[in-house]
Amino acid sequence: MPKWLKTSLKIIAGLVLLVVLVLIGATLYITYNKAKVLEMVNRQLDKSVDGTLIIGDMKPRFFSGFPDVSLTLQNVLIRDKKYAQHKHTLLDAKDFNISLNTVALLRGVIDINHIDISNAAIDLFTDSTGYSNTAVFKKDNKKVKDNPSESSSSTMLKKFSLSNVNFTIDDRSKHKLFNFAVNDISGKMRYPDSGWRADFHLDVQAKSMAFNSLRGSFIKNKQLKGDFKAGYNEKSGKINVAVSPLKIGDDPFKINAVFATADKPSASFTINIVADQIMWRNASALLAPNITQVLNRFNISKPMDVTCSLNGSFAGGSGGPKLYVTAKVRNSKVTIPGAELDSCSFDGIYSNNYIKDKGYGDDNSFIKLMRLKGSYNHLPFTIDTGSIVNLLKPIATGNFKSSFPAADLNWFLEDDVAKFNNGSADMNLRYKADIIDYKINKPIIRGSINLRNTDIYYLPRNLKLKNNSLSLNFVGDDLILNNIRLQSGRSVVTMEGRVNNFLNLYYNAPEKILLTWQIHSPQLYLNEFMGFLSPRKGAPAAKSRGNSGNVVDQLSNVLERGKAEMHMQVGKVYYKKFLATDANAHLITTDDGVIIKNISLKHAGGSLRVNGKVMQGNALNRFDVNTTISHVNMREFFLAFNNFGLQDFTAENLKGFLSAKTSITGGVTDAGNLVPRSIKGTLDLNLQDAALINFQPLMGVGKFAFPFRNLKNITIPNLDAHFLVNGDMITIKPMQVSSSILNVDVAGVYGLTHGTDIALDIPLRNPKDDFKINDLAERAKKRYKGIVLHIRAHEEDGKMKIGWNKNHK
């Protein structure tokens, strides 16, 4: 072995031996001078304490803090002078371990390098007046001590550790409560020219982190673990803290914080937090309960990237820290009150300071969603910027855009209102809506909804429409409908419509909604719209609605209970054998029928005017109409209306022109057919240039009374008649039939099925030349010259009998 190496080893061994001897000496010194050293420690600590400081016992720990001397202080107690009033002990430590600088100790000076506190409780308390038990620590800013041999500054810790410590900051004046169960805090300190630097490990349970105890705690009952780097600069008075990662519960966070201790009147703080891929509910659970409760009305199915900035003051006064949170959500299911949005992606911002200088509360909070895209019941949409303001009573605003095949509406409507096929749809809406109380605080909507070239099957009325287009425009509180084209079979209709005060009536009073239509059509086949006469089909009772049921139910309710006022102009109207031209109509639909106001049209060479109503029923549909008929061709008219249900008196028996006034009620089926024997009312008619052709009742009389006359074609220049209709019984008020070959006075009852009893007075003279008599009085006098037969046609035992009317007047 080289000589120099031997010499070096001897020197090192000597130094080690010297240190050991010094430690042994220090330990023996403390052991045999325990009371003196304890007094020195108390005296050193008492310099900074204005209250009660008790150290129950002190024991040396040999080699524990080599090369320092380690001491265990047991049952350490620190209380301020007002402890008897507030009962909060600042420090109660069962084990308080310290390491002392050996050289300084031998000089009679206490220099603490390491503190280890375990099995302890630290309670920093401030009462409602602002007094704090930290007043136990004296404020001494003297730079030079009376004894130069003593330390001229606060003790500079090199190491520190806490375990099994309950740490509390309870500030009643500012409603702040921080409480941590410390499993382990351990670190090292360095002291550059100005301030200090620290590296430490933290493992604590956050029982309370309430910046405003009236609103609850952040990260309540969460485990916090991480390795921190911290530093303090005396010139700026700022403490900087960084940790990456800090695990809060099971989620890792990157945290940077700055505590400005020099700020007046109280220290302020800024905490920046970054969390990658955290679940929504995990993130909301870290916030105060008042915020969590609001945010949990929503949910996001997949993890998201979140940043959070907290800015506040330990002085309080503004309701809590200012929060600014950002989130990136990609391809997630988002749940909102009353609906689920699929495949959502957006960038979000949350803040509790929507309006500056109005505090940091829920009523001043907002959520902003940017570049939002997703789908609702298979309807894709985008919102360039959407906001939710005031989370106590959240109001949502934004621009909603969507473009999709019209058939995608079938997912939304769930086969309860309509089915769509072919064509496209788009929406461009600006909205403002109360998310929670939308039925009380009505939404405000601006913009349009458009359907193009789509087929619609309106299920409640079994109505099929082809190649349709429409545009719905929301202007103010009104709904304007234009560019509407509907086609059902061969019927093509163009429409313009308007609903005033639509948004205010939609939820609370749909029965007051009145949709005013202007309708035009070149040709209309009424039988293609008979679905409106059938009762509305109910939705399947046991059907599951998913998340759109409320919307669909309300829409269906509005469509059925709302009323429509229609002003129609139609070139041609077809209904079975009926054809009308130049039709104008004013109709009002209700939830159970149609009110007819002044229908006018041209038909069979004349014109018709109709007023009345058609009301839906379970067994049949009732109508009540008043009609004015002017100079229509009788044959065409009776043929068009299927002879009005008559069997013995049909279009084949008639020629001439008819004018009439009717007031009748009756029944019509869902298919639009008259219900037999349902018609009741009055009929007043006038015939011009008429003829009765092969009318069997008169032909039967002719066989009995005029066996040699041909009654197959009887011309009637003019006839006025009045009838009462009651089911299958028609009462014929006394009337005079003046024809080319026979005059007849008729009165009685004609039964469509039974009960016929008609009296006929028939002059036997031939009246064929009566039209040449211009004097009407003379013509009437001549009418009854000669023989007059009094005939009675009546039914007996189900058979028609014709005989003399013995009781004629």
Side-chain angles (χ1 to χ4, degrees), residues 612-629:
K613 59 184 178 181
V614 180
M615 310 305 289
Q616 295 171 351
N618 293 327
L620 54 86
N621 307 293
R622 302 296 304 180
F623 65 84
D624 183 351
V625 296
N626 298 312
T627 307
T628 300
I629 304 169

Side-chain angles (χ1 to χ4, degrees), residues 428-432 443-448 474-477 503:
N428 189 351
L429 301 173
R430 173 73 181 174
Y431 63 88
K432 180 178 181 181
I444 297 173
I445 301 176
R446 305 287 186 272
S448 63
F474 296 91
V475 180
D477 289 332
L503 294 177

Side-chain angles (χ1 to χ4, degrees), residues 421-434:
N421 191 30
N422 302 323
S424 62
D426 65 75
M427 304 181 187
N428 189 351
L429 301 173
R430 173 73 181 174
Y431 63 88
K432 180 178 181 181
D434 189 320

Side-chain angles (χ1 to χ4, degrees), residues 26-27 29-30 37 40-41 69 71 100-111:
T27 302
Y29 174 82
I30 293 173
V37 173
M40 291 168 59
V41 172
V69 176
L71 299 177
L100 306 177
N101 186 300
T102 304
V103 177
L105 179 62
L106 295 177
R107 294 202 316 268
V109 176
I110 297 296
D111 186 4

Side-chain angles (χ1 to χ4, degrees), residues 382-490:
T382 61
I383 298 178
D384 51 10
T385 301
S387 299
I388 301 174
V389 178
N390 185 355
L391 297 188
L392 286 180
K393 297 179 179 179
I395 303 297
T397 60
N399 294 322
F400 180 95
K401 296 182 179 180
S402 182
S403 181
F404 51 88
D408 286 353
L409 286 168
N410 298 332
W411 293 91
F412 176 74
L413 298 176
E414 297 184 347
D415 295 342
D416 276 356
V417 177
K419 283 186 177 181
F420 291 80
N421 191 30
N422 302 323
S424 62
D426 65 75
M427 304 181 187
N428 189 351
L429 301 173
R430 173 73 181 174
Y431 63 88
K432 180 178 181 181
D434 189 320
I435 293 178
I436 305 301
D437 296 325
Y438 56 88
K439 290 188 178 182
I440 298 174
N441 302 311
K442 304 303 179 296
I444 297 173
I445 301 176
R446 305 287 186 272
S448 63
I449 300 174
N450 301 290
L451 285 171
R452 297 181 180 88
N453 306 318
T454 184
D455 300 338
I456 304 174
Y457 179 20
Y458 184 47
L459 295 165
R461 301 296 180 182
N462 195 29
L463 183 64
K464 296 180 180 180
L465 304 171
K466 296 287 186 179
N467 194 25
N468 310 284
S469 299
L470 64 87
S471 178
L472 286 73
N473 297 278
F474 296 91
V475 180
D477 289 332
D478 302 336
L479 172 63
I480 298 174
L481 305 96
N482 51 29
N483 300 324
I484 297 176
R485 180 189 185 277
L486 302 177
Q487 181 173 344
S488 177
R490 293 169 292 174

Side-chain angles (χ1 to χ4, degrees), residues 42 81 362 427 466 508 604 723:
N42 272 299
K81 289 182 177 181
D362 294 340
M427 304 181 187
K466 296 287 186 179
N508 288 347
F723 303 91

